[in-house]
Amino acid sequence: MANVLDDSEIRRVLVVMAHPDDVDFGSAGTVATWTDGGLEVVYLMVTDGDAGGFDDGVTRARMAALRRAEQEAAAAVVGVRDVRYLGYPDGRVEATLDLRRDIARVIRQVRPDRVLAPSPDRDYARISPSHPDHRAVGSAALDAVYPDARNPYAFPELLADEGLEAWTVREVWLTGGPNADHHVDVTDVFDRKIEALRAHASQTAHLGDGLPEMISGWLGANAGLAGFPPGRLAEAFQVVPTA
Ligand SMILES: [Zn+2]
Protein backbone atom coordinates (compact mmCIF):
# COMPACT_ATOMS: atom_id res chain seq x y z
CA MET A 1 0.00 0.00 0.00
CA ALA A 2 1.18 3.50 -0.81
CA ASN A 3 1.99 6.11 1.80
CA VAL A 4 -0.44 8.82 0.67
CA LEU A 5 -0.96 12.30 2.08
CA ASP A 6 -4.48 12.90 3.36
CA ASP A 7 -6.47 15.24 1.13
CA SER A 8 -6.86 17.55 4.15
CA GLU A 9 -3.12 18.28 3.81
CA ILE A 10 -3.50 19.23 0.13
CA ARG A 11 -4.63 22.64 -1.09
CA ARG A 12 -3.78 22.57 -4.77
CA VAL A 13 -3.21 19.85 -7.38
CA LEU A 14 -1.56 20.32 -10.77
CA VAL A 15 -2.49 17.73 -13.40
CA VAL A 16 0.12 17.47 -16.19
CA MET A 17 -0.95 15.40 -19.21
CA ALA A 18 0.19 14.91 -22.80
CA HIS A 19 -3.16 15.18 -24.61
CA PRO A 20 -6.68 16.47 -24.06
CA ASP A 21 -8.76 13.50 -22.78
CA ASP A 22 -5.85 11.74 -20.98
CA VAL A 23 -6.94 13.05 -17.59
CA ASP A 24 -10.55 12.05 -18.25
CA PHE A 25 -9.81 8.44 -19.24
CA GLY A 26 -7.46 7.84 -16.31
CA SER A 27 -8.39 10.20 -13.52
CA ALA A 28 -11.52 12.37 -13.97
CA GLY A 29 -13.39 10.51 -11.21
CA THR A 30 -10.56 11.13 -8.77
CA VAL A 31 -10.39 14.79 -9.81
CA ALA A 32 -14.14 15.09 -9.09
CA THR A 33 -13.60 13.73 -5.56
CA TRP A 34 -10.82 16.29 -5.05
CA THR A 35 -12.81 19.31 -6.23
CA ASP A 36 -15.88 18.11 -4.29
CA GLY A 37 -13.60 18.10 -1.22
CA GLY A 38 -12.55 21.70 -1.79
CA LEU A 39 -9.17 21.12 -3.43
CA GLU A 40 -8.18 23.49 -6.22
CA VAL A 41 -7.18 21.60 -9.38
CA VAL A 42 -5.37 23.06 -12.43
CA TYR A 43 -4.85 21.20 -15.72
CA LEU A 44 -1.74 21.57 -17.87
CA MET A 45 -1.90 19.95 -21.32
CA VAL A 46 1.46 19.61 -23.07
CA THR A 47 -0.08 19.21 -26.57
CA ASP A 48 -3.40 20.20 -28.11
CA GLY A 49 -4.05 16.65 -29.31
CA ASP A 50 -3.90 17.90 -32.89
CA ALA A 51 -2.85 14.45 -34.17
CA GLY A 52 -5.90 12.78 -32.59
CA GLY A 53 -9.33 12.07 -33.95
CA PHE A 54 -10.26 10.82 -37.36
CA ASP A 55 -9.49 11.82 -40.91
CA ASP A 56 -12.79 13.47 -41.65
CA GLY A 57 -11.47 16.57 -43.39
CA VAL A 58 -10.84 18.55 -40.18
CA THR A 59 -7.56 20.49 -40.47
CA ARG A 60 -4.99 19.98 -37.74
CA ALA A 61 -5.26 23.62 -36.61
CA ARG A 62 -9.04 23.27 -36.41
CA MET A 63 -8.60 19.99 -34.51
CA ALA A 64 -6.35 21.72 -31.94
CA ALA A 65 -8.97 24.42 -31.29
CA LEU A 66 -11.74 21.83 -31.09
CA ARG A 67 -9.81 19.66 -28.64
CA ARG A 68 -9.03 22.62 -26.36
CA ALA A 69 -12.75 23.46 -26.25
CA GLU A 70 -13.62 19.83 -25.53
CA GLN A 71 -11.06 19.68 -22.71
CA GLU A 72 -12.42 22.84 -21.12
CA ALA A 73 -15.97 21.45 -21.21
CA ALA A 74 -14.77 18.14 -19.71
CA ALA A 75 -12.84 20.00 -16.99
CA ALA A 76 -15.92 22.00 -15.99
CA VAL A 77 -17.88 18.75 -15.45
CA VAL A 78 -15.43 17.77 -12.66
CA GLY A 79 -15.01 21.25 -11.17
CA VAL A 80 -11.85 22.44 -12.93
CA ARG A 81 -11.88 25.96 -14.40
CA ASP A 82 -8.16 26.57 -15.01
CA VAL A 83 -6.87 24.70 -18.08
CA ARG A 84 -3.47 25.65 -19.51
CA TYR A 85 -1.60 24.48 -22.62
CA LEU A 86 2.03 24.34 -23.68
CA GLY A 87 1.30 23.79 -27.39
CA TYR A 88 3.91 21.10 -28.07
CA PRO A 89 3.29 19.06 -31.26
CA ASP A 90 1.14 15.99 -30.65
CA GLY A 91 2.95 12.70 -31.29
CA ARG A 92 6.48 14.15 -31.04
CA VAL A 93 6.90 14.91 -27.33
CA GLU A 94 10.31 14.25 -25.80
CA ALA A 95 11.48 14.83 -22.21
CA THR A 96 13.71 17.76 -23.15
CA LEU A 97 15.17 20.48 -20.94
CA ASP A 98 12.72 22.91 -22.59
CA LEU A 99 9.75 20.77 -21.54
CA ARG A 100 11.13 20.40 -18.00
CA ARG A 101 11.52 24.19 -17.74
CA ASP A 102 8.00 24.79 -19.12
CA ILE A 103 6.44 22.39 -16.58
CA ALA A 104 8.63 23.75 -13.74
CA ARG A 105 7.40 27.25 -14.61
CA VAL A 106 3.77 26.22 -14.15
CA ILE A 107 4.61 24.35 -10.92
CA ARG A 108 6.15 27.55 -9.54
CA GLN A 109 3.12 29.57 -10.72
CA VAL A 110 0.46 27.20 -9.33
CA ARG A 111 2.42 25.99 -6.25
CA PRO A 112 0.68 22.61 -5.98
CA ASP A 113 1.11 20.20 -3.06
CA ARG A 114 0.36 17.24 -5.34
CA VAL A 115 1.09 16.67 -9.05
CA LEU A 116 -0.74 14.06 -11.13
CA ALA A 117 1.11 12.91 -14.27
CA PRO A 118 1.37 9.93 -16.61
CA SER A 119 3.74 7.15 -15.60
CA PRO A 120 7.09 7.29 -17.41
CA ASP A 121 7.25 3.48 -17.11
CA ARG A 122 6.00 1.27 -19.92
CA ASP A 123 3.31 -1.23 -18.95
CA TYR A 124 3.98 -4.36 -21.00
CA ALA A 125 0.65 -5.87 -19.94
CA ARG A 126 -1.45 -2.95 -21.25
CA ILE A 127 0.29 -1.02 -24.00
CA SER A 128 -2.07 1.88 -24.84
CA PRO A 129 -1.51 3.99 -21.67
CA SER A 130 2.24 3.76 -22.42
CA HIS A 131 2.01 6.06 -25.49
CA PRO A 132 5.45 7.66 -26.05
CA ASP A 133 4.04 11.16 -25.44
CA HIS A 134 2.67 9.99 -22.08
CA ARG A 135 5.98 8.48 -21.00
CA ALA A 136 7.89 11.59 -22.07
CA VAL A 137 5.52 13.90 -20.17
CA GLY A 138 5.72 11.68 -17.08
CA SER A 139 9.51 11.74 -17.15
CA ALA A 140 9.67 15.51 -17.68
CA ALA A 141 7.04 16.17 -14.99
CA LEU A 142 8.92 14.13 -12.39
CA ASP A 143 12.15 15.94 -13.29
CA ALA A 144 10.32 19.26 -13.06
CA VAL A 145 9.10 18.30 -9.56
CA TYR A 146 12.56 17.08 -8.54
CA PRO A 147 14.88 18.88 -8.88
CA ASP A 148 13.83 21.72 -11.20
CA ALA A 149 10.92 23.46 -9.47
CA ARG A 150 12.44 23.30 -5.98
CA ASN A 151 16.03 24.18 -6.84
CA PRO A 152 16.45 27.96 -7.17
CA TYR A 153 19.58 27.37 -9.27
CA ALA A 154 17.74 25.22 -11.83
CA PHE A 155 16.50 27.32 -14.76
CA PRO A 156 17.59 30.53 -12.96
CA GLU A 157 15.78 32.62 -15.58
CA LEU A 158 12.47 31.58 -14.00
CA LEU A 159 13.41 33.56 -10.90
CA ALA A 160 15.52 36.27 -12.52
CA ASP A 161 13.18 37.13 -15.40
CA GLU A 162 9.77 36.02 -14.12
CA GLY A 163 10.09 36.28 -10.33
CA LEU A 164 9.04 32.66 -9.84
CA GLU A 165 10.33 31.38 -6.49
CA ALA A 166 11.35 27.74 -5.99
CA TRP A 167 8.50 25.42 -4.93
CA THR A 168 8.54 21.91 -3.45
CA VAL A 169 5.76 19.53 -4.53
CA ARG A 170 5.12 17.02 -1.74
CA GLU A 171 3.70 14.11 -3.69
CA VAL A 172 3.30 12.84 -7.28
CA TRP A 173 0.56 10.49 -8.45
CA LEU A 174 1.33 8.52 -11.62
CA THR A 175 -1.39 7.09 -13.86
CA GLY A 176 -1.29 4.40 -16.55
CA GLY A 177 1.87 2.69 -15.30
CA PRO A 178 2.63 -0.89 -14.31
CA ASN A 179 3.01 -0.34 -10.55
CA ALA A 180 -0.32 0.92 -9.19
CA ASP A 181 -0.34 0.95 -5.40
CA HIS A 182 -3.25 3.26 -4.60
CA HIS A 183 -6.90 3.10 -5.71
CA VAL A 184 -9.61 5.75 -5.43
CA ASP A 185 -13.26 4.65 -5.27
CA VAL A 186 -15.04 6.64 -7.98
CA THR A 187 -18.34 4.75 -8.03
CA ASP A 188 -20.32 7.76 -6.82
CA VAL A 189 -18.87 10.09 -9.49
CA PHE A 190 -18.88 7.60 -12.36
CA ASP A 191 -21.64 9.45 -14.24
CA ARG A 192 -19.59 12.66 -14.20
CA LYS A 193 -16.53 10.81 -15.50
CA ILE A 194 -18.64 9.54 -18.40
CA GLU A 195 -20.03 13.03 -19.03
CA ALA A 196 -16.46 14.40 -19.06
CA LEU A 197 -15.41 11.71 -21.55
CA ARG A 198 -18.42 12.46 -23.76
CA ALA A 199 -17.30 16.12 -23.87
CA HIS A 200 -14.37 14.82 -25.96
CA ALA A 201 -16.80 14.07 -28.78
CA SER A 202 -14.08 14.02 -31.45
CA GLN A 203 -12.51 11.09 -29.59
CA THR A 204 -15.41 9.26 -27.96
CA ALA A 205 -18.59 9.85 -30.03
CA HIS A 206 -17.89 6.74 -32.12
CA LEU A 207 -18.06 4.62 -28.93
CA GLY A 208 -21.72 5.58 -28.38
CA ASP A 209 -23.49 3.55 -25.76
CA GLY A 210 -20.45 1.29 -25.47
CA LEU A 211 -18.46 3.97 -23.62
CA PRO A 212 -19.89 3.47 -20.08
CA GLU A 213 -19.59 -0.30 -20.44
CA MET A 214 -15.96 -0.07 -21.56
CA ILE A 215 -15.01 2.34 -18.76
CA SER A 216 -16.90 0.46 -16.02
CA GLY A 217 -15.12 -2.71 -17.15
CA TRP A 218 -11.72 -1.09 -16.62
CA LEU A 219 -12.70 0.55 -13.32
CA GLY A 220 -14.35 -2.61 -12.00
CA ALA A 221 -11.14 -4.54 -12.67
CA ASN A 222 -9.16 -1.86 -10.78
CA ALA A 223 -11.56 -2.12 -7.84
CA GLY A 224 -11.19 -5.90 -7.82
CA LEU A 225 -7.40 -5.64 -7.69
CA ALA A 226 -7.74 -3.13 -4.84
CA GLY A 227 -9.93 -5.55 -2.88
CA PHE A 228 -12.97 -3.24 -2.91
CA PRO A 229 -16.43 -4.85 -2.55
CA PRO A 230 -18.13 -6.18 -5.71
CA GLY A 231 -19.85 -3.50 -7.76
CA ARG A 232 -17.38 -0.75 -6.86
CA LEU A 233 -15.35 1.20 -9.45
CA ALA A 234 -11.83 2.55 -8.94
CA GLU A 235 -9.09 4.55 -10.64
CA ALA A 236 -5.52 3.31 -10.09
CA PHE A 237 -2.32 5.25 -9.30
CA GLN A 238 1.26 4.87 -8.16
CA VAL A 239 2.01 7.43 -5.46
CA VAL A 240 5.55 8.81 -5.15
CA PRO A 241 6.53 10.85 -2.07
CA THR A 242 8.59 13.84 -3.24
CA ALA A 243 8.78 16.15 -0.23
ZN1 LIG B 1 -2.91 10.56 -24.62
Side-chain angles (χ1 to χ4, degrees):
M1 290 293 287
N3 194 4
V4 183
L5 292 172
D6 192 85
D7 283 353
S8 64
E9 297 184 60
I10 306 291
R11 288 181 58 196
R12 283 179 300 277
V13 182
L14 177 65
V15 177
V16 186
M17 292 286 153
H19 313 114
D21 81 18
D22 290 346
V23 63
D24 296 298
F25 275 106
S27 317
T30 298
V31 169
T33 67
W34 289 341
T35 58
D36 286 353
L39 278 61
E40 183 186 338
V41 179
V42 176
Y43 286 175
L44 178 64
M45 301 292 148
V46 171
T47 81
D48 296 328
D50 46 292
F54 302 93
D55 185 15
D56 53 4
V58 178
T59 66
R60 293 298 98 184
R62 174 86 187 87
M63 179 59 82
L66 174 67
R67 295 205 65 189
R68 285 190 181 205
E70 289 176 345
Q71 184 62 76
E72 279 149 33
V77 171
V78 293
V80 177
R81 300 273 177 292
D82 188 342
V83 184
R84 307 180 189 195
Y85 305 88
L86 295 180
Y88 280 67
D90 184 2
R92 287 181 279 153
V93 181
E94 296 179 293
T96 60
L97 285 169
D98 281 349
L99 180 56
R100 284 168 51 181
R101 181 202 58 230
D102 289 345
I103 296 172
R105 174 187 290 113
V106 179
I107 290 172
R108 291 191 188 188
Q109 290 169 337
V110 173
R111 301 164 79 84
D113 308 292
R114 178 183 287 157
V115 165
L116 169 62
S119 174
D121 298 322
R122 193 191 298 271
D123 184 352
Y124 289 99
R126 214 164 47 100
I127 201 73
S128 67
S130 301
H131 186 289
D133 285 357
H134 299 182
R135 287 184 288 118
V137 168
S139 181
L142 276 166
D143 290 344
V145 166
Y146 176 83
D148 302 333
R150 73 183 61 187
N151 181 349
Y153 303 106
F155 303 116
E157 66 271 28
L158 292 177
L159 180 59
D161 300 342
E162 302 177 46
L164 293 169
E165 302 277 355
W167 179 258
T168 297
V169 176
R170 300 175 64 193
E171 184 176 85
V172 175
W173 290 32
L174 301 173
T175 178
N179 300 309
D181 58 7
H182 181 61
H183 296 80
V184 176
D185 190 320
V186 296
T187 316
D188 297 340
V189 293
F190 178 72
D191 290 348
R192 285 161 72 197
K193 180 181 174 85
I194 295 300
E195 189 183 343
L197 282 164
R198 289 205 190 285
H200 298 281
S202 70
Q203 310 301 305
T204 60
H206 69 286
L207 296 169
D209 293 340
L211 179 68
E213 193 178 340
M214 181 180 88
I215 301 297
S216 67
W218 296 351
L219 302 187
N222 287 339
L225 288 172
F228 292 173
R232 304 307 289 181
L233 303 171
E235 291 173 340
F237 305 92
Q238 180 182 4
V239 178
V240 181
T242 57

